[in-house]
Amino acid sequence: MGGCVSVQVSCDQLLNHLGRCFCRKLYYIQNIKENLTSLEEAMEDLKALRADLLRKVQTAEEGGLQRLHQIKVWLKRVKTIESQFNDLDSSRTVELQRLCCCGVGSRNLRLSYDYGRRVFLMLNIVEDLKSKGIFEEVAHPATRAVGEERPLQPTIVGQETILEKAWDHLMDDGTKIMGLYGMGGVGKTTLLTRINNRFCDTDDGVEIVIWVVVSGDLQIHKIQKEIGEKIGFKGVEWNQKSENQKAVDILNFLSKKRFVLLLDDIWKRVELTEIGIPNPTSENGCKIAFTTRCQSVCASMGVHDPMEVRCLGADDAWDLFKKKVGDITLSSHPDIPEIARKVAQACCGLPLALNVIGETMACKKTTQEWDRAVDVLTTYAANFGAVKERILPILKYSYDNLESESVKTCFLYCSLFPEDDLIEKERLIDYWICEGFIDGDENKKGAVGEGYEILGTLVCASLLVEGGKFNNKSYVKMHDVVREMALWIASDLRKHKDNCIVRAGFGLNEIPKVKDWKVVSRMSLVNNRIKEIHGSPECPKLTTLFLQDNRHLVNISGEFFRSMPRLVVLDLSWNVNLSGLPDQISELVSLRYLDLSDSSIGRLPVGLLKLKKLMHLNLESMLCLESVSGIDHLSNLKTVRLLNLRMWLTISLLEELERLENLEVLTIEIISSSALEQLLCSHRLVRCLQKVSVKYLDEESVRILTLPSIGDLREVFIGGCGMRDIIIERNTSLTSPCFPNLSKVLITGCNGLKDLTWLLFAPNLTHLNVWNSRQIEEIISQEKASTADIVPFRKLEYLHLWDLPELKSIYWNPLPFPCLNQINVQNKCRKLTKLPLDSQSCIVAGEELVIQYGDEEWKERVEWEDKATRLRFLPSCKLVLYNR
């Protein structure tokens, strides 16, 4: 019949096949005792082999080496098989009792067959592990992945399980790209940060870790810039390349590296090939991880099994809330803990809300205050349905509890900056002073102090987060959900959206259409692609206009400024293609703050000199600027910033600056000896100096640089100079600090200097960079410092020493270094064989000291103070090779 198939098998073949199967099963049962004995002996041998190996590894690690990755893999496999053996051995007695007929039979053939087979297979695995457990090398010089360890909030609760799950998933050979999704404020960035820091702290063969914040406006060039900075591509030549050319450069570099790319806060598909990111594969071992609010974005990135980051459970939420509120407040009345649980419950398990509301309630010590919080928060829950809709009103409770209207106004002002933007504290306070939120008319120092106090209040309330790159405390940022809340409040809970127009980072090509310009009080168009600004909007209430970082902007019409009589702050910085301003800028009669830094403006408009109320003028890094002549007409100026200009600073300009009677802050660049002498002889200007750059002075013009006391000096840059020494004026006391506020110093290309002993008189120095100065032998000279009873570098956080071939000593004795986080010794510092450390150094510092070096042999040459010092700091030495 069609469709039928006849299969003939001989009886002998069938019997042989059945016989072989039976004999194999019988073998597993008959040899259980023998194989168990062999397995026990093999496991003893394997454990002994592991113990010997671990002793070798421990010895190598005490010498500052790191165990090989293959050692880690082998030890992990031994641990796994040991656990499986223990499970197998636990049922040994039962299984042996099941045997019968002198061990050749069983009362339950299936169970005995399964057990015997497991014993046989495990014996083979153990023997294989033994054969692979002989290693000629067990460790190699410590190599740390080049990456940036990112700051974390001190209180993190309920993430350990998902952190380990995410880490294991990402490190699985089958995972190339991992997506983390969840609602805003749930802890995605914190989780990704912890993954980033784990890569930076462990040796998993990863060579470079790259962190990029993407945010809502996905701009390829911005991502390329972030990546370029991490891998050493920067400068004018790199910046002028097209996106395609940059993509090729990035691809060529990363294709030769094992990298990890971490993308935070993506809102749509990121085209990795357009950026220049090689595809991660099992062969190259590269990984990509990202965070997003939308599960659909994960699918668009090719991740179909993303990990959801969820709100905390009730117990974890309560633990986090308790830690934020504090035991003192919770125990201040017996009824408060019960009420506090209701407040915590109203936060819906969202870590951001628990942090913010917890900080708000930390000072509430009466039941009436806590009952009020419950009433307000439960009302929000009733009026808003979904958790996402409730969060902004919940967070607003923290805003409502801020101590004053001025603090509230300062907080809302921070929402004008782009999402995830790092906001420089100093710049922010300058805005606030010019806006009038802080009274700066009488005392600049007092006004700045008040500004820092407000920032401290907002940080303590968890409404701002402190720290930028390398945990730089000079910056703050807003969580994107807190920023949403601030914009919601600024728009009068969305009832008057045109009051405050914020389109920062939206990718706009033109000024947005506004329904009614007459009601607009603040407008932020930061980081867009606007090319030209036309029109004559009538803006009687506009006080703040942010137009910075529109890199395509080439023209602003004069008509645009005609009807802005109350404009106080105008920021046009980082508009690198803007080459001019209209004279009609003179009509901004109320203007107090003007920032033109990093623009291509060649000549300042005549109308600018009519801005009689102008208090703050920033002209830094205007490389095309030809002159600032006439600046003394701006008699109300308090802050003038003139760093990094190509124009020569003339004596006549210094004389104009001296005539500014209200001047309080001056940043300036000096490239002539006559201008330097004039500057240092002017008591008025020296008193105002905050940052100074001295460049290209040869030995003949300034053989010895003599510095007076400069009380407000914050930063010093000395580059390309030939002076033989830097000394302090003779009439200055050698026991009092000459530079009490100096925090950052960079010395580079100064080939005549042999030491920097003058730094003894900068007690609050936090960052010291000394590069490419071939005669420097000591940082602090023992001979010169003998008359000064001063312990230096008590506030130093970062010490970077590069290309110093004659450097032999930083300091002759061990120093306490209570704040030191990092020492970086790179390239041609071969004579520096001893660091001023002992076992008691860096005890007070919050983080363990990291010693980075770029010469593989340098670590072997280091002479430690004693064995205790060596054991303490040798494990902190990390080989890091930079592209400079």
Side-chain angles (χ1 to χ4, degrees):
M1 294 174 62
C4 293
V5 179
S6 175
V7 180
Q8 293 184 342
V9 180
S10 70
C11 184
D12 288 342
Q13 287 176 310
L14 182 60
L15 289 174
N16 286 337
H17 177 71
L18 292 174
R20 283 195 299 272
C21 290
F22 181 76
C23 288
R24 192 184 309 121
K25 292 186 177 181
L26 192 61
Y27 168 82
Y28 290 141
I29 297 172
Q30 291 176 337
N31 290 280
I32 283 180
K33 285 185 178 180
E34 182 181 343
N35 286 343
L36 268 175
T37 301
S38 298
L39 178 59
E40 287 174 341
E41 292 173 353
M43 279 301 303
E44 288 178 6
D45 292 342
L46 184 63
K47 291 177 183 178
L49 190 63
R50 179 177 63 181
D52 291 340
L53 180 64
L54 285 173
R55 275 193 292 272
K56 290 181 181 179
V57 170
Q58 184 177 359
T59 302
E61 288 179 337
E62 287 176 356
L65 301 178
Q66 286 185 336
R67 65 181 67 184
L68 296 171
H69 189 64
Q70 57 184 314
I71 300 288
K72 293 182 180 181
V73 172
W74 187 84
L75 289 172
K76 184 178 179 181
R77 289 175 180 170
V78 171
K79 184 177 181 180
T80 301
I81 202 68
E82 183 179 24
S83 176
Q84 293 173 355
F85 170 76
N86 291 336
D87 289 343
L88 195 71
D89 194 52
S90 65
S91 58
R92 170 195 179 99
T93 303
V94 174
E95 294 295 341
L96 290 179
Q97 289 175 351
R98 188 176 284 127
L99 299 177
C100 62
C101 301
C102 299
V104 298
S106 171
R107 296 181 180 87
N108 189 320
L109 287 174
R110 184 179 64 80
L111 293 178
S112 293
Y113 161 74
D114 287 342
Y115 186 76
R117 183 172 181 272
R118 287 171 60 200
V119 172
F120 176 78
L121 293 176
M122 187 175 292
L123 178 59
N124 287 335
I125 293 172
V126 172
E127 292 293 348
D128 182 61
L129 281 172
K130 283 170 56 182
S131 67
K132 293 178 178 177
I134 309 299
F135 298 92
E136 292 184 6
E137 288 184 297
V138 298
H140 60 80
T143 304
R144 191 179 192 180
V146 177
E148 173 189 331
E149 189 159 341
R150 301 184 64 81
L152 277 168
Q153 289 187 354
T155 307
I156 300 173
V157 173
Q159 271 201 347
E160 293 308 320
T161 300
I162 191 169
L163 173 62
E164 294 307 320
K165 185 178 177 182
W167 177 262
D168 291 343
H169 179 58
L170 183 60
M171 298 309 291
D172 187 276
D173 289 340
T175 303
K176 315 300 186 301
I177 305 180
M178 179 179 75
L180 302 169
Y181 76 97
M183 66 181 293
V186 79
K188 303 182 297 297
T189 298
T190 299
L191 185 59
L192 196 67
T193 299
R194 297 182 76 180
I195 290 171
N196 173 88
N197 292 354
R198 184 173 288 193
F199 274 119
C200 292
D201 288 340
T202 58
D203 176 27
D204 286 295
V206 173
E207 296 173 89
I208 185 165
V209 182
I210 302 170
W211 176 285
V212 179
V213 179
V214 180
S215 299
D217 179 32
L218 195 161
Q219 297 185 35
I220 296 296
H221 75 89
K222 285 188 65 180
I223 299 175
Q224 289 178 328
K225 180 187 175 187
E226 288 279 338
I227 295 173
E229 288 178 352
K230 300 288 194 313
I231 62 179
F233 292 142
K234 46 190 169 183
V236 176
E237 185 179 350
W238 163 258
N239 291 335
Q240 289 177 345
K241 289 187 176 184
S242 67
E243 289 182 5
N244 288 338
Q245 290 171 323
K246 289 179 180 178
V248 172
D249 288 348
I250 292 171
L251 181 65
N252 289 336
F253 182 90
L254 291 181
S255 295
K256 302 169 187 173
K257 301 286 184 182
R258 185 179 174 193
F259 67 86
V260 172
L261 176 63
L262 305 175
L263 302 172
D264 187 34
D265 194 23
I266 72 174
W267 289 73
K268 58 185 177 182
R269 175 180 171 83
V270 178
E271 295 293 346
L272 299 173
T273 53
E274 291 183 13
I275 299 167
I277 306 300
N279 288 326
T281 64
S282 299
E283 289 71 28
N284 62 29
C286 299
K287 304 285 185 180
I288 296 174
F290 63 85
T291 66
T292 180
R293 293 193 190 182
C294 296
Q295 188 175 1
S296 60
V297 173
C298 297
S300 73
M301 292 290 292
V303 178
H304 301 291
D305 58 342
M307 299 187 65
E308 183 180 6
V309 184
R310 299 179 179 177
C311 292
L312 299 177
D315 291 340
D316 284 335
W318 174 237
D319 285 344
L320 176 56
F321 191 73
K322 280 195 302 183
K323 288 181 178 180
K324 282 295 176 182
V325 173
D327 292 336
I328 294 175
T329 296
L330 288 172
S331 60
S332 58
H333 190 282
D335 292 342
I336 284 181
E338 183 179 349
I339 308 173
R341 281 186 176 273
K342 296 178 182 178
V343 175
Q345 186 178 2
C347 294
C348 309
L350 193 71
L352 176 66
L354 291 160
N355 275 310
V356 172
I357 301 302
E359 293 284 7
T360 299
M361 301 306 296
C363 60
K364 312 291 186 185
K365 296 183 179 179
T366 66
T367 56
Q368 290 86 351
E369 291 172 300
W370 282 87
D371 284 332
R372 167 67 178 159
V374 172
D375 291 342
V376 172
L377 295 175
T378 51
T379 300
Y380 291 153
N383 293 339
F384 296 86
V387 172
K388 292 180 181 179
E389 295 174 352
R390 293 184 212 165
I391 294 307
L392 299 189
I394 289 171
L395 295 176
K396 183 178 179 293
Y397 182 75
S398 182
Y399 166 84
D400 291 337
N401 277 268
L402 291 174
E403 58 193 45
S404 67
E405 289 303 315
S406 64
V407 175
K408 291 179 180 179
T409 304
C410 290
F411 165 70
L412 296 180
Y413 202 85
C414 297
S415 66
L416 297 176
F417 296 89
E419 183 180 329
D420 296 311
D421 197 35
L422 291 176
I423 311 169
E424 189 179 4
K425 290 180 179 179
E426 185 179 297
R427 175 181 288 250
L428 191 56
I429 292 170
D430 282 337
Y431 286 136
W432 291 346
I433 292 172
C434 290
E435 293 274 6
F437 307 155
I438 299 172
D439 184 5
D441 290 338
E442 298 298 327
N443 185 329
K444 170 77 173 180
K445 185 176 180 180
V448 170
E450 185 180 345
Y452 276 103
E453 185 178 346
I454 290 172
L455 285 170
T457 299
L458 296 175
V459 169
C460 286
S462 291
L463 293 173
L464 292 179
V465 179
E466 190 174 51
K469 291 183 179 180
F470 307 111
N471 203 16
N472 190 337
K473 298 297 178 66
S474 300
Y475 294 85
V476 290
K477 65 180 293 187
M478 257 187 170
H479 190 286
D480 50 359
V481 179
V482 174
R483 181 173 177 270
E484 288 175 30
M485 181 263 289
L487 291 173
W488 179 62
I489 295 171
S491 67
D492 194 14
L493 313 188
R494 297 198 182 101
K495 295 173 186 175
H496 301 100
K497 293 183 179 180
D498 283 347
N499 287 3
C500 183
I501 296 176
V502 180
R503 302 288 187 273
F506 271 48
L508 301 177
N509 294 313
E510 59 183 7
I511 295 287
K513 292 178 173 58
V514 178
K515 186 176 180 181
D516 186 2
W517 280 99
K518 292 181 180 180
V519 301
V520 180
S521 61
R522 295 196 172 92
M523 175 176 274
S524 174
L525 303 177
V526 181
N527 186 22
N528 282 293
R529 302 166 188 169
I530 299 170
K531 294 180 179 179
E532 296 197 3
I533 298 178
H534 297 292
S536 180
E538 190 174 345
C539 310
K541 294 185 178 181
L542 185 66
T543 61
T544 310
L545 181 56
F546 282 1
L547 288 168
Q548 61 263 40
D549 203 12
N550 278 276
R551 303 200 175 204
H552 299 281
L553 184 63
V554 295
N555 181 50
I556 303 176
S557 74
E559 298 298 313
F560 184 71
F561 292 128
R562 282 203 179 277
S563 300
M564 300 178 180
R566 296 180 63 186
L567 189 66
V568 171
V569 170
L570 175 60
D571 196 328
L572 289 164
S573 60
W574 283 102
N575 292 316
V576 294
N577 288 302
L578 183 64
S579 58
L581 281 179
D583 270 342
Q584 287 86 343
I585 197 170
S586 63
E587 300 190 27
L588 302 178
V589 293
S590 298
L591 199 65
R592 294 181 178 182
Y593 183 106
L594 178 61
D595 191 341
L596 304 175
S597 60
D598 290 279
S599 67
S600 296
I601 295 171
R603 293 185 180 182
L604 298 178
V606 176
L608 188 146
L609 300 179
K610 298 179 181 179
L611 302 175
K612 300 302 182 183
K613 291 189 177 181
L614 197 64
M615 296 168 51
H616 182 109
L617 179 61
N618 190 345
L619 305 177
E620 290 185 346
S621 299
M622 293 179 66
L623 301 182
C624 299
L625 189 62
E626 299 174 2
S627 171
V628 291
S629 179
I631 196 171
D632 57 342
H633 289 79
L634 302 172
S635 57
N636 207 39
L637 275 178
K638 293 190 173 185
T639 298
V640 178
R641 301 191 181 277
L642 299 174
L643 272 179
N644 196 26
L645 301 178
R646 284 188 181 169
M647 52 169 273
W648 279 60
L649 188 71
T650 62
I651 291 179
S652 62
L653 176 57
L654 286 170
E655 290 172 348
E656 287 193 46
L657 291 172
E658 283 188 285
R659 288 195 288 271
L660 294 173
E661 295 184 358
N662 294 304
L663 188 65
E664 296 175 334
V665 174
L666 176 64
T667 69
I668 201 163
E669 180 170 301
I670 303 293
I671 55 177
S672 80
S673 57
S674 57
L676 178 62
E677 183 179 358
Q678 175 84 2
L679 174 68
L680 297 181
C681 288
S682 170
H683 296 297
R684 176 189 289 274
L685 296 183
V686 165
R687 190 177 65 246
C688 300
L689 268 185
Q690 196 174 83
K691 299 178 184 178
V692 63
S693 172
V694 180
K695 293 182 180 179
Y696 315 131
L697 302 183
D698 58 31
E699 181 186 352
E700 293 180 2
S701 59
V702 180
R703 185 175 179 81
I704 296 177
L705 175 59
T706 304
L707 297 175
S709 292
I710 309 176
D712 204 33
L713 188 64
R714 311 292 174 83
E715 297 182 19
V716 169
F717 172 84
I718 303 175
C721 294
M723 73 271 297
R724 293 288 178 177
D725 204 355
I726 301 174
I727 63 174
I728 308 300
E729 277 187 352
R730 289 184 179 180
N731 59 356
T732 302
S733 170
L734 292 180
T735 57
S736 62
C738 306
F739 313 105
N741 289 297
L742 182 59
S743 61
K744 296 179 181 179
V745 171
L746 170 56
I747 309 287
T748 181
C750 294
N751 292 320
L753 294 175
K754 292 196 172 185
D755 63 82
L756 301 172
T757 307
W758 66 277
L759 293 176
L760 280 174
F761 308 104
N764 293 304
L765 189 68
T766 61
H767 292 69
L768 175 59
N769 297 271
V770 189
W771 303 343
N772 192 29
S773 299
R774 59 174 178 261
Q775 295 297 322
I776 287 185
E777 298 175 357
E778 304 168 284
I779 300 300
I780 305 295
S781 165
Q782 183 173 5
E783 180 182 353
K784 291 182 181 179
S786 59
T787 57
D789 186 19
I790 300 172
V791 178
F793 305 136
R794 287 187 173 275
K795 298 292 181 65
L796 195 66
E797 298 174 12
Y798 296 94
L799 175 60
H800 289 197
L801 306 170
W802 292 24
D803 296 340
L804 306 172
E806 296 301 319
L807 180 65
K808 298 172 186 175
S809 167
I810 297 170
Y811 194 77
W812 60 92
N813 281 329
L815 291 170
F817 286 127
C819 301
L820 192 61
N821 293 322
Q822 185 183 102
I823 297 176
N824 191 317
V825 181
Q826 289 280 331
N827 300 344
K828 301 178 184 177
C829 295
R830 294 173 184 169
K831 293 187 179 181
L832 182 65
T833 58
K834 190 168 185 179
L835 300 176
L837 301 170
D838 63 17
S839 59
Q840 298 304 306
S841 299
C842 309
I843 292 293
V844 186
E847 301 176 12
E848 195 65 31
L849 174 67
V850 174
I851 303 172
Q852 297 182 347
Y853 62 97
D855 178 355
E856 294 188 21
E857 298 177 359
W858 179 82
K859 188 177 71 170
E860 306 302 323
R861 296 193 298 268
V862 174
E863 301 171 10
W864 301 99
E865 182 72 12
D866 49 37
K867 184 178 180 181
T869 306
R870 181 176 178 275
L871 291 174
R872 168 108 192 272
F873 292 110
L874 193 58
S876 301
C877 294
K878 307 293 181 182
L879 178 63
V880 177
L881 302 176
Y882 284 91
N883 293 315
R884 280 195 63 208

